[in-house]
Amino acid sequence: MKKIHIILLVLIAGAIAVLVSFLQTTTTYDTVAIAKSKPGKFVHLMAKWDKSLPMEYDAIKNPNYLSFTAIDTLGDKVQVIYHSPKPENFELSERLVMKGKYEDGKFICQSIQTKCPSKYKDQDPSQHPGNKKDSTYNTVATVKQ
Amino acid sequence: MEYVGEHLLPGQIGHFFILVSLIASLTAAFAYFKAVQATPDAKAGWLKLARISFFTEVFAVLVIFAALLHILYYHLFEYKYAWQHTSLSLEFKYIMSAFWEGQEGSTLLWTFWHCVLGVIIIRREKQWEAPVMSVVSFAQFFLATMIIGIYVFDVKIGSNPFILLRDSGVLDEAAGMHVNFDVTQPIRADYLTMITDGNDLNPLLQNYWMVIHPPILFLGFASTLIPFAFAMAGLWTRDIKGWVTRAIPWTLFSVAFLGLGIMMGAKWAYESLNFGGYWAWDPVENASLVPWMIMVSGLHTMLIFKHSGYSLRSSFLFLALSFIFIVYSTFLTKSGVLGDSSVHAFADIGMNGQLFLFLIVFVWLPPFFAAQTNKHRLIITGVTLILSLATYFLAEKIPGFPLYVILAGIATYIVLMNKLVPSVKKEESVSSREFWMFIGSLVFFLAAMIIIFQTSLPVFNKLFNSNKAPGENDEFNYNKIQVLIAFVIGILTAITQYLKYKSTDTKSFLNKMLVPTIISAVVATFILIVVKINYDVHGMGFLINIWLALVATVYATIANAAYIWVGLKGKLKNSGGSVAHFGFGLMLVGMILSSSKKEILSWNTSGIAVPFGEDSKEKTGENLTLVKGVPMQMNDYMVTYVGDSAHPKKEQTYFKVHFKSKTSNEEFTLLPDAFVNYKGNEGLMANPSSKHYWNHDVFTYVSSFYKPTAEGDTISFKPNSININDTIFYSKGFITIEKLAAKDNLPVAGFSKSDTGYTASVKVQELNGSSYSSDLLLIRNAGKTLYQTQDTIMAQSLVLRLEDAGANSVTIGVKESNDVLEYLTLKAYKFPYINLVWAGVIFLVIGSVVAMVRRVRLLKLKAA
């Protein structure tokens, strides 16, 4: 066997080891109920902002404190604390992917990804809200995803 | 029905020529195929037909391009593409960005570059024209199907950029657009008069980099097809070795322009997005990085082959995989599979099946060409057809089936290719350049495989119905591996140029290496001791890895710069490789320094010690609130939000933020901007603004923003319940409760004995100046408020009153007059040495182009 083949095998084995260890670090996409069932564990919570409940954000008092209630597709709710200003497109979003941990009755969130008109958004006609008044047609932006 | 005001001609022309291009590219692919297979007499006829077809295709693509541009330029909103991607207020320069904002336009751009490259091949590559162009035309055929937009048995094939708004379904639910306001009725004849403006280009794409980055990136994408086609041509025509020298310049071109395109995207992200950097290991970024890395590996193995005869098989493998991963990246970005994991993938437009078919076909194309006989080729074609159909039906039933189809294709290719391609039996010397170059290529290739595996997590979820999400530190998962790769590649990049092919004399090698090694050691030590890297967020182990990577990449940079004189005697024409390696090293040094020394300037701890009051248990954050007109301390700067100005036509606001250094006379103003309440939606889409210095950038963006409405003083008292000695915040400072006294038997007329009077002494502290004192009085009886004083601190536009009092806590009502409450929150970073990254990229590209030009010259000399 050539030296180069031995090196080849060693490197490929190394790469596979790296990938296996990577798979160990993965987490899961969860609902509110499942996130609550494993407090202290890092999860990706999939939910959306419950606009019927108050949102707390006062930049004067603390620009790094956002609190709101998230509701998932099953209707479960949880209070979310996020130590940053409102993420971009927060109001526009139809869905939030929130990374964090459920602790002491709250979901402490490290980052929020808003799913809404993405940069390369494409209109989905079936989800178009329609035009409420004839003349405002052009101001209606479709929210996708 | 006749619709009023529509311009149907450009769309009809456009769609007609899409059909023309589809047929012409298929004809060209077939005719070129026959030209390769035919006997010498018949060859000329096929070649002629093929060329006519290809030039027809080129003409068709140009017409399609012009037609779509016409529609966008004149804002013909009867076309969905114009309505969706432009608006009347869109500046001319962004019409081009709007062109490639959509999937259809970007596919068209890709097709366009294939045409340009194809014409060059026809002119320059006489010997290889037929087989190479057969592959190119075949790819063109697939791209044309992406924009054809027809239905075959309910299966949508392609997405037509010329579809009319009224046919696209967008108006179906809009009652006002229909006769009698009834959605079941047809669309009104005068519907166009009600569409007064388009949906506009996404604000984040309204950036000059978005005009130039997509064309360069797609030129890079298109260029990866050429080395692939050459490799296929080599297998097909059984000229197993001859193609390599012709393909090397094309590969260099691809490395230069794909690399440039990717890094232009990084520059756009840095200037226009606010994740605070140029690279986020986003799947879309990774998907184009990986083919580039494989192409770089392929380039190096081709050079090894040219000089030593080794590594031919690896070259075949790498070049094939590079293009396959380009197709895979198209699948990733356009299929919508990345929905949850990427911020900037396209949404699904129902073309997943077609995109995956594209992938299957191009995975099984290499085995087709590597097959021994025409009969085998027929079998492989049959297998591809069966597997494509099987994937369609079994993908949901057998977990992982599509993946197995892909892996089977690659495995078949490796087996068949190994039968055709000889390998050198003799072992290469450990002191030879080819030995270490191969290891470098292999490490680089494996690094690419690791990246694409990590990126493909959402694809694995789809394949195996699993639910895996990236880990807690997704970026760190990439960085911790790639920092080790940077170390290995850095060292190899530094020393390999100094080795000779076949074998190297140790003594002369050490002699030549001595000076660059000493200089590198000095520079690296200087950086580690004086500049310092203390990034310990992920622990000491990772920090040591960063140090090692820094030393290695500094070594790579300096050793390659030195090689231009030591090895090549300063002949710049011959030193393309060294310049490119120098740039690559510099880029890595810049990446390591800028990432590990990135500082957040807007820590909310600096300046006046603002305690966090009721949230005091919380950590301080990364955003700073700036009230208009009030200077705040931020790191070494006094920062003032001076004011804002609106874009005349758009809902875009520019914020004027003034920075003044506390330690020097330096002053500057940044203008971060944001689209506020864009398109009737609430919210902020921010664009950052940076102050550039030679050695660092100050990078800021507005993270939230508040401007009062002009409705007057409607604000009510805001109750704040706090304990004695705690603080309440208001826009310009804070309020402390110093004393609370309660007293019965008030000596005031009109109150009974059981009434209790409370006095709270409060101190109002302005952040950068005066303080004011005030005593607030509250008289109550059995929980009922009888009397309350209101104290107005005029200088601060602040009104206070005592609302409730307990044993040790009080509730103070605070009211601020509206006109002072204009503020924004700012996030600011310091990016050191970011210019090294950009400079590195420029050298990398220039070096690759110099090397390409030299190779082209050498080929001409050889031919003459």
Side-chain angles (χ1 to χ4, degrees):
Chain A
M1 207 178 195
K2 288 187 190 178
K3 279 187 238 42
I4 211 111
H5 291 146
I6 297 167
I7 293 174
L8 186 76
L9 287 179
V10 169
L11 286 176
I12 290 175
I16 292 170
V18 162
L19 293 179
V20 170
S21 77
F22 161 72
L23 285 177
Q24 308 292 321
T25 67
T26 56
T27 56
T28 45
Y29 292 105
D30 287 323
T31 59
V32 169
I34 295 177
K36 279 182 176 173
S37 72
K38 35 187 177 187
K41 195 147 186 281
F42 186 86
V43 294
H44 288 232
L45 178 63
M46 314 276 275
K48 63 175 187 181
W49 172 32
D50 185 353
K51 296 187 187 182
S52 67
L53 291 168
M55 176 192 69
E56 187 192 332
Y57 182 71
D58 186 347
I60 294 291
K61 204 165 90 187
N62 184 353
N64 298 298
Y65 184 86
L66 169 70
S67 164
F68 63 95
T69 303
I71 180 167
D72 66 11
T73 46
L74 302 173
D76 293 318
K77 295 182 184 182
V78 66
Q79 194 196 349
V80 179
I81 308 288
Y82 181 49
H83 292 289
S84 278
K86 264 188 294 183
E88 197 173 334
N89 301 340
F90 188 70
E91 281 88 351
L92 284 157
S93 69
E94 287 236 313
R95 209 151 50 90
L96 303 168
V97 182
M98 292 170 286
K99 303 179 186 177
K101 292 169 184 166
Y102 181 77
E103 277 167 347
D104 303 330
K106 290 168 185 167
F107 189 75
I108 313 294
C109 188
Q110 286 179 7
S111 83
I112 298 182
Q113 200 176 56
T114 52
K115 302 312 280 183
C116 48
S118 74
K119 270 174 251 101
Y120 299 99
K121 76 174 164 182
D122 202 79
Q123 233 76 28
D124 180 355
S126 66
Q127 289 185 18
H128 201 279
N131 61 340
K132 285 153 202 134
K133 282 174 248 151
D134 289 354
S135 58
T136 59
Y137 188 76
N138 54 333
T139 64
V140 177
T142 311
V143 175
K144 165 73 185 165
Q145 288 179 349
Chain B
M1 189 189 287
E2 278 291 313
Y3 294 95
V4 182
E6 287 186 338
H7 304 77
L8 296 180
L9 190 62
Q12 284 160 350
I13 292 175
H15 198 226
F16 173 73
F17 277 96
I18 290 177
L19 286 169
V20 170
S21 90
L22 184 83
I23 295 162
S25 54
L26 191 60
T27 314
F30 181 72
Y32 272 125
F33 183 83
K34 292 301 273 184
V36 178
Q37 303 285 65
T39 54
D41 324 333
K43 195 170 176 143
W46 283 115
L47 212 52
K48 198 173 171 197
L49 173 64
R51 282 186 194 159
I52 292 170
S53 309
F54 187 77
F55 283 112
T56 310
E57 141 99 7
V58 173
F59 177 73
V61 168
L62 291 176
V63 173
I64 302 165
F65 221 86
L68 191 56
L69 208 53
H70 175 89
I71 284 167
L72 295 180
Y73 182 75
Y74 289 104
H75 304 288
L76 303 182
F77 294 135
E78 53 269 45
Y79 294 96
K80 186 186 169 206
Y81 208 82
W83 173 79
Q84 191 180 355
H85 300 293
T86 73
S87 73
L88 295 175
S89 63
L90 193 67
E91 291 101 319
F92 171 67
K93 60 184 172 183
Y94 296 134
I95 294 290
M96 296 312 286
S97 317
F99 189 104
W100 27 82
E101 185 193 20
Q103 286 210 25
E104 299 85 352
S106 64
T107 305
L108 211 46
L109 186 60
W110 190 1
T111 305
F112 169 77
W113 285 123
H114 277 164
C115 289
V116 172
L117 296 173
V119 170
I120 299 172
I121 285 171
I122 291 174
R123 283 185 57 91
R124 305 189 62 111
E125 304 286 352
K126 291 283 173 262
Q127 189 203 337
W128 292 95
E129 178 191 340
V132 168
M133 287 305 294
S134 181
V135 175
V136 172
S137 301
F138 190 59
Q140 282 291 73
F141 167 70
F142 266 86
L143 291 182
T145 64
M146 301 281 172
I147 50 171
I148 187 81
I150 51 169
Y151 284 83
V152 178
F153 305 118
D154 273 3
V155 177
K156 185 183 174 194
I157 298 180
S159 175
N160 173 14
F162 297 104
I163 194 162
L164 293 171
L165 189 59
R166 61 179 155 87
D167 292 336
S168 69
V170 170
L171 305 181
D172 287 0
E173 299 300 317
M177 293 290 165
H178 292 261
V179 173
N180 297 332
F181 296 89
D182 180 354
V183 291
T184 59
Q185 296 280 322
I187 286 170
R188 289 165 62 157
D190 62 345
Y191 79 99
L192 252 187
T193 57
M194 291 180 288
I195 296 174
T196 50
D197 204 352
N199 202 32
D200 204 2
L201 177 67
N202 188 315
L204 295 173
L205 300 179
Q206 298 186 21
N207 175 293
Y208 56 90
W209 284 107
M210 268 299 135
V211 180
I212 184 72
H213 151 66
I216 300 289
L217 184 70
F218 275 99
L219 174 58
F221 262 52
S223 68
T224 59
L225 177 62
I226 312 302
F228 172 86
F230 265 102
M232 294 307 108
L235 292 171
W236 185 7
T237 60
R238 294 294 190 270
D239 189 350
I240 299 290
K241 296 176 178 176
W243 63 279
V244 174
T245 44
R246 302 294 319 181
I248 285 176
W250 287 103
T251 312
L252 281 161
F253 179 84
S254 191
V255 165
F257 283 91
L258 186 54
L260 182 63
I262 293 169
M263 290 311 289
M264 279 179 162
K267 185 88 169 119
W268 163 71
Y270 180 68
E271 291 194 0
S272 173
L273 304 183
N274 49 30
F275 60 83
Y278 49 88
W279 196 265
W281 294 112
D282 186 279
V284 172
E285 297 168 334
N286 297 349
S288 40
L289 174 69
V290 164
W292 181 80
M293 291 174 76
I294 303 173
M295 189 59 89
V296 170
S297 295
L299 172 66
H300 286 84
T301 52
M302 284 159 90
L303 291 170
I304 294 173
F305 172 73
K306 188 169 176 283
H307 290 105
S308 73
Y310 290 98
S311 294
L312 186 55
R313 287 175 176 178
S314 323
S315 307
F316 272 111
L317 181 64
F318 290 157
L319 294 188
L321 285 180
S322 181
F323 184 69
I324 287 171
F325 275 100
I326 285 281
V327 180
Y328 179 60
S329 96
T330 308
F331 173 76
L332 280 181
T333 47
K334 295 195 176 186
S335 70
V337 71
L338 296 176
D340 287 334
S341 50
S342 169
V343 272
H344 55 231
F346 288 96
D348 182 6
I349 54 169
M351 284 181 18
N352 282 7
Q354 193 181 352
L355 285 163
F356 197 75
L357 183 67
F358 188 19
L359 184 59
I360 291 185
V361 168
F362 275 85
V363 164
W364 281 88
L365 201 60
F368 175 85
F369 288 120
Q372 297 277 355
T373 62
N374 279 340
K375 202 178 145 201
H376 288 171
R377 287 197 179 128
L378 219 58
I379 294 171
I380 286 169
T381 311
V383 167
T384 310
L385 276 173
I386 292 165
L387 288 178
S388 306
L389 282 172
T391 310
Y392 186 79
F393 291 108
L394 295 177
E396 306 282 311
K397 295 198 177 72
I398 303 176
F401 188 79
L403 177 66
Y404 305 140
V405 171
I406 301 296
L407 292 179
I410 295 170
T412 313
Y413 173 57
I414 293 173
V415 170
L416 293 175
M417 183 261 289
N418 276 354
K419 277 189 188 165
L420 276 186
V421 181
S423 77
V424 183
K425 289 281 169 287
K426 191 175 152 284
E427 187 166 355
E428 51 274 74
S429 155
V430 183
S431 71
S432 70
R433 188 189 275 193
E434 58 265 29
F435 183 81
W436 294 104
M437 234 167 126
F438 179 75
I439 290 175
S441 309
L442 190 65
V443 169
F444 214 55
F445 171 72
L446 290 175
M449 289 297 106
I450 291 171
I451 292 172
I452 203 69
F453 185 91
Q454 291 178 316
T455 307
S456 300
L457 206 56
V459 179
F460 294 138
N461 280 342
K462 269 249 158 67
L463 283 170
F464 299 102
N465 292 321
S466 56
N467 175 31
K468 286 198 189 312
E472 187 164 355
N473 291 304
D474 196 22
E475 289 187 18
F476 177 60
N477 272 331
Y478 287 99
N479 290 334
K480 70 179 176 195
I481 297 162
Q482 299 307 324
V483 75
L484 294 172
I485 304 285
F487 170 71
V488 175
I489 291 293
I491 299 284
L492 288 173
T493 308
I495 60 165
T496 309
Q497 287 253 47
Y498 289 85
L499 295 166
K500 288 196 159 58
Y501 286 110
K502 306 279 194 296
S503 77
T504 312
D505 171 39
T506 318
K507 209 172 154 196
S508 78
F509 166 73
L510 290 179
N511 268 342
K512 282 184 180 169
M513 286 263 32
L514 186 66
V515 177
T517 307
I518 291 172
I519 299 174
S520 306
V522 171
V523 173
T525 313
F526 175 80
I527 293 177
L528 289 180
I529 291 176
V530 181
V531 181
K532 283 202 184 87
I533 298 177
N534 313 319
Y535 182 83
D536 56 2
V537 177
H538 295 291
M540 200 58 202
F542 186 57
L543 182 57
I544 291 171
N545 287 343
I546 295 177
W547 290 341
L548 288 173
L550 180 90
V551 172
T553 50
V554 164
Y555 195 22
T557 312
I558 290 170
N560 276 289
Y563 190 75
I564 299 173
W565 285 274
V566 177
L568 300 162
K569 313 206 163 42
K571 285 186 199 130
L572 283 175
K573 258 192 248 168
N574 296 346
S575 48
S578 297
V579 173
H581 286 134
F582 165 75
F584 180 66
L586 196 64
M587 181 177 85
L588 291 183
V589 171
M591 285 172 173
I592 292 169
L593 282 175
S594 65
S595 317
S596 58
K597 289 191 69 68
K598 176 172 137 183
E599 262 178 77
I600 293 163
L601 296 177
S602 52
W603 279 114
N604 208 346
T605 48
S606 50
I608 309 256
V610 179
F612 267 89
E614 64 189 60
D615 298 315
S616 57
K617 63 176 185 288
E618 311 297 352
K619 58 175 183 183
T620 53
E622 300 177 356
N623 297 273
L624 195 66
T625 301
L626 297 177
V627 175
K628 194 168 172 177
V630 182
M632 284 287 281
Q633 180 173 329
M634 186 172 88
N635 205 285
D636 289 337
Y637 294 102
M638 291 307 289
V639 184
T640 317
Y641 165 30
V642 182
D644 51 79
S645 58
H647 189 282
K649 282 180 175 172
K650 293 171 184 292
E651 294 128 329
Q652 191 178 12
T653 307
Y654 290 86
F655 301 95
K656 208 171 167 185
V657 182
H658 183 257
F659 285 68
K660 189 174 187 313
S661 172
K662 289 172 69 186
T663 49
S664 65
N665 290 327
E666 180 199 346
E667 280 184 68
F668 56 89
T669 301
L670 290 180
L671 285 171
D673 70 286
F675 283 80
V676 182
N677 299 340
Y678 179 74
K679 290 276 167 213
N681 293 283
E682 277 181 37
L684 201 65
M685 293 168 105
N687 281 320
S689 170
S690 298
K691 170 76 181 171
H692 304 287
Y693 293 91
W694 71 272
N695 64 348
H696 71 273
D697 279 9
V698 173
F699 174 99
T700 64
Y701 67 89
V702 173
S703 49
S704 79
F705 162 62
Y706 177 78
K707 198 173 186 176
T709 50
E711 283 168 12
D713 193 358
T714 55
I715 278 189
S716 55
F717 279 99
K718 209 177 137 194
N720 290 278
S721 301
I722 57 163
N723 293 326
I724 312 283
N725 294 325
D726 271 357
T727 39
I728 301 170
F729 301 96
Y730 72 104
S731 61
K732 290 181 181 171
F734 54 91
I735 304 160
T736 347
I737 315 304
E738 299 194 311
K739 217 167 74 190
L740 175 70
K743 202 175 178 188
D744 291 342
N745 285 325
L746 297 167
V748 187
F751 291 100
S752 74
K753 280 184 179 175
S754 55
D755 295 342
T756 314
Y758 299 93
T759 347
S761 307
V762 299
K763 193 176 151 200
V764 175
Q765 173 70 52
E766 194 188 349
L767 276 189
N768 302 307
S770 330
S771 64
Y772 311 86
S773 291
S774 169
D775 287 323
L776 305 172
L777 179 67
L778 169 75
I779 298 175
R780 322 184 79 175
N781 187 329
K784 262 171 71 183
T785 300
L786 303 174
Y787 178 77
Q788 223 175 357
T789 56
Q790 270 194 11
D791 198 0
T792 307
I793 296 156
M794 284 309 289
Q796 299 292 296
S797 313
L798 199 66
V799 190
L800 302 175
R801 73 181 184 197
L802 185 58
E803 295 192 334
D804 194 6
N808 254 324
S809 66
V810 288
T811 303
I812 306 262
V814 179
K815 180 160 96 167
E816 292 198 65
S817 181
N818 254 353
D819 53 357
V820 293
L821 268 173
E822 216 171 303
Y823 59 85
L824 53 79
T825 62
L826 191 76
K827 193 155 180 176
Y829 296 102
K830 182 176 171 187
F831 264 109
Y833 311 107
I834 183 85
N835 284 337
L836 292 183
V837 177
W838 312 130
V841 173
I842 292 168
F843 281 110
L844 174 58
V845 171
I846 291 176
S848 306
V849 171
V850 167
M852 180 187 81
V853 170
R854 178 167 162 258
R855 299 270 164 191
V856 171
R857 283 228 179 90
L858 286 177
L859 284 174
K860 267 192 191 150
L861 283 176
K862 213 170 105 189

